Amino acid sequence: MTAARLVARCVRGLEPALGAEILRSGSATVDWVGHREVGFRTEPGTDDEGRLRTADDVFLLALRQDDAGPHKSDLAALADLARAVDLAGLARERRARGGPAGFGGIEISASFLGRRTYNRYDIEDAVGRVLAERAGVPYHARRHGEPPPPGHSGWRLTLDGTHATLLLRLGRRPAHRRAYKNATIPGTLHPPVAAAMAQAAELRPGLRVLDPCCGAGTLLIEAHHTVPGTTLLGFDLDPAARRAARRNAGPLPVTVQRGDAGALPLPDRSVDRVLCNPPWGDQVDAGGRLAGHPERWWRELARVLTDEGRAVVLLPEARGLGQALALGLAPVHVQQLSLSGSRPLLVRLERPRTRRRSPGRREAEAG
């Protein structure tokens, strides 16, 4: 079987991180990077697509053609696209890659860019009904918001103004739904974003990794799956958050303790990496010593981070970076995301590295 064409979908802004993760596998090639998606090829049996932690979902590419157009009459072209799909070939390919057999039923999610005289449900019905009729299975309409019955295959259709892309989900459920996510709390971080943050931190076995506001533990768990062998430590004032983090971490080597991010019980220069989604009040209010004094978070971050350390944080805006700079932490990478209606910044910070003069040069200057 030849290399299949696949598409991984992601949070807006994570396309470069997702493309880099695909290439790091060493057995895949990237065909294109688009709006919230990366098209790539990989040989069957590698299972690289199942390990893409920055992906929201991974699909087989069913068909890609020109965008149908903005008018309701153009929906007929999308129905024709559904008629042209090789259903039997897709079913074989998905099964060969460890996916479920057959289709069971059809449910489809659509999205589009630009103005149209039809809505997403019109697209879904036009394509989904044709696919279901061809496969001889029920079609589940999403128009009324009811979840599909178990066993339905997940499809996606995107219209970006240039292409119409029809996709079939590889697995039984979206990739962002982690098996470890048994408990959640308000403000819980989207796992693929946490994975992207862990990858940006350039972890290595033996490093000490801290999340001073660990919540349900998502960042620390994704750090473990990114690079096993690190020492993972999380603090939180909320007992519900600590319970959720411990439940989600299960047997993983994650230590969760009660602690105030504004006064961490850690020595100076004792942490190699900090991963954090701080409580700036958007979804979770700051508590303890951070309440009314968010600058204390930055002070503690600068205090506990080693000279060669690195922090990767999610910020609602760039305003706080001035405090980081004043404390000797330089933002070396800033990436804006689109996440649940907000536009947070994924920021990597490091201490500026001073140039060390060689002994010979110092002696010459002394003379």
Side-chain angles (χ1 to χ4, degrees):
M1 188 176 291
T2 59
R5 300 179 69 186
L6 299 108
V7 176
R9 299 273 300 171
C10 66
V11 165
R12 182 74 180 101
L14 288 187
E15 297 93 342
L18 176 56
E21 186 180 10
I22 290 170
L23 292 174
R24 278 198 300 270
S25 71
S27 60
T29 57
V30 170
D31 288 335
W32 79 83
V33 178
H35 176 79
R36 295 194 58 195
E37 67 182 25
V38 178
F40 66 106
R41 299 170 192 253
T42 184
E43 297 290 341
T46 60
D47 193 34
D48 293 325
E49 63 273 10
R51 296 194 295 265
L52 294 177
R53 304 198 70 85
T54 58
D56 273 11
D57 217 342
V58 184
F59 301 86
L60 285 169
L61 177 60
L63 206 60
R64 198 175 202 218
Q65 65 181 36
D66 291 342
D67 191 313
H71 305 294
K72 200 158 190 175
S73 59
D74 295 324
L75 290 173
L78 296 178
D80 289 340
L81 180 150
R83 294 187 184 96
V85 170
D86 179 7
L87 288 177
L90 284 170
R92 288 193 301 271
E93 183 70 42
R94 185 173 64 163
R95 189 61 176 162
R97 292 175 179 271
F103 296 113
I106 301 291
E107 64 101 3
I108 181 169
S109 174
S111 62
F112 58 85
L113 299 178
R115 292 185 177 182
R116 314 269 170 159
T117 60
Y118 47 82
N119 60 37
R120 59 178 296 183
Y121 304 114
D122 296 330
I123 301 171
E124 292 166 2
D125 289 347
V127 175
R129 286 170 178 159
V130 172
L131 291 173
E133 181 181 1
R134 290 188 59 210
V137 297
Y139 166 63
H140 175 79
R142 296 163 51 92
R143 191 179 291 270
H144 305 295
E146 297 176 356
H152 276 47
S153 59
W155 296 71
R156 185 164 185 88
L157 180 66
T158 62
L159 304 173
D160 63 8
T162 302
H163 295 105
T165 306
L166 181 62
L167 309 167
L168 170 63
R169 178 178 294 127
L170 271 179
R172 295 184 182 276
R173 63 181 188 177
H176 68 81
R177 294 183 185 172
R178 306 293 206 243
Y180 68 76
K181 206 76 169 180
N182 297 307
T184 187
I185 59 170
T188 294
L189 190 59
H190 190 53
V193 174
M197 293 172 66
Q199 291 176 22
E202 296 185 359
L203 304 175
R204 300 189 306 274
L207 294 183
R208 195 177 198 199
V209 182
L210 166 71
D211 184 347
C213 315
C214 70
T218 308
L219 271 164
L220 295 173
I221 296 168
E222 290 296 329
H224 169 79
H225 287 293
T226 299
V227 177
T230 58
T231 298
L232 301 166
L233 178 61
F235 291 105
D236 208 289
L237 284 173
D238 182 2
R242 298 196 301 273
R243 286 194 297 269
R246 291 174 183 136
R247 183 180 175 190
N248 289 333
L252 299 182
V254 177
T255 301
V256 178
Q257 300 176 357
R258 185 185 187 281
D260 191 328
L264 292 168
L266 295 171
D268 295 356
R269 302 293 197 270
S270 61
V271 172
D272 301 295
R273 298 289 188 269
V274 172
L275 300 171
C276 195
N277 177 26
W280 296 135
D282 286 359
Q283 292 181 294
V284 178
D285 291 328
R289 298 194 184 188
L290 295 185
H293 298 281
E295 72 280 357
R296 289 180 176 172
W297 186 89
W298 290 108
R299 291 174 188 166
E300 285 297 275
L301 174 62
R303 181 182 68 80
V304 301
L305 201 62
T306 65
D307 289 339
E308 301 297 323
R310 173 176 295 174
V312 180
V313 301
L314 200 65
L315 304 178
E317 56 188 16
R319 184 172 56 185
L321 293 179
Q323 294 174 326
L325 285 166
L327 292 165
L329 296 174
V332 296
H333 177 81
V334 179
Q335 177 71 51
Q336 188 170 58
L337 310 181
S338 180
L339 185 63
S340 302
S342 63
R343 303 279 287 173
L345 300 175
L346 191 159
V347 183
R348 187 172 76 234
L349 303 116
E350 299 176 1
R351 296 187 189 279
R353 291 180 173 84
T354 57
R355 294 183 63 185
R356 297 179 179 179
R357 295 173 297 178
S358 65
R361 182 173 176 82
R362 286 199 297 268
E363 291 170 3
E365 289 179 355

